[in-house]
Amino acid sequence: QAQLAESGGGLVQPGGSLRLSCSASGGNFNYGTLSWFRQAPGKERQFVAAFRISGSGKYYSDSVKGRFTISRDSAKNTFYLQMNTLKPEDTAVYYCAKSSLSLIVSTMQSTAPYESWGQGTQVTVSS
């Protein structure tokens, strides 16, 4: 099972940018799905973005589409979430996750198929 660790969170003003990193070790990174989720206080964990390791498509929630970009550096076993034009409603703890399955779009938005999670990193968007 993979071990994941997020970094890069912090406090940023509305309209600003942050890049989150997820460093991975162990497990098989030649197949499966890598994703970002977030959880605001008092709310359920919410899908943000994902891609299939062996595919080319990237998938985003409607709330972040056009502002966030998910990417991967295979050589470093690290994947990223570039967040631009941040809004106060983006404030949450952000988690990276890995599934050993190559998930279809409807399934990758659920937390259930993911067996590896990071500890989370806080992102606060406030003036």
Side-chain angles (χ1 to χ4, degrees):
Q1 188 165 332
Q3 289 78 49
L4 307 176
E6 305 92 340
S7 61
L11 172 64
V12 62
Q13 292 187 342
S17 298
L18 279 177
R19 188 177 79 157
L20 305 183
S21 300
C22 180
S23 177
S25 61
N28 179 0
F29 283 88
N30 295 318
Y31 195 78
T33 304
L34 297 174
S35 299
W36 287 95
F37 286 77
R38 66 187 182 186
Q39 189 166 19
K43 295 189 176 181
E44 293 186 351
R45 197 165 294 189
Q46 176 189 46
F47 172 78
V48 174
F51 65 91
R52 300 185 196 95
I53 294 172
S54 58
S56 59
K58 297 179 181 179
Y59 307 91
Y60 300 92
S61 68
D62 288 342
S63 61
V64 308
K65 198 173 296 181
R67 300 187 298 123
F68 291 11
T69 303
I70 190 171
S71 63
R72 179 191 183 195
D73 184 334
S74 301
K76 297 181 180 179
N77 249 8
T78 301
F79 66 110
Y80 306 95
L81 185 69
Q82 177 67 43
M83 306 186 295
N84 298 329
T85 319
L86 282 161
K87 305 175 181 179
E89 51 263 43
D90 295 318
T91 295
V93 177
Y94 283 70
Y95 298 89
C96 57
K98 181 185 180 298
S99 173
S100 57
L101 304 175
S102 188
L103 301 172
I104 60 174
V105 173
S106 59
T107 306
M108 65 175 54
Q109 298 178 51
S110 167
T111 59
Y114 297 90
E115 64 271 2
S116 299
W117 292 86
Q119 80 288 352
T121 186
Q122 176 70 47
V123 172
T124 302
V125 185
S126 175
S127 55

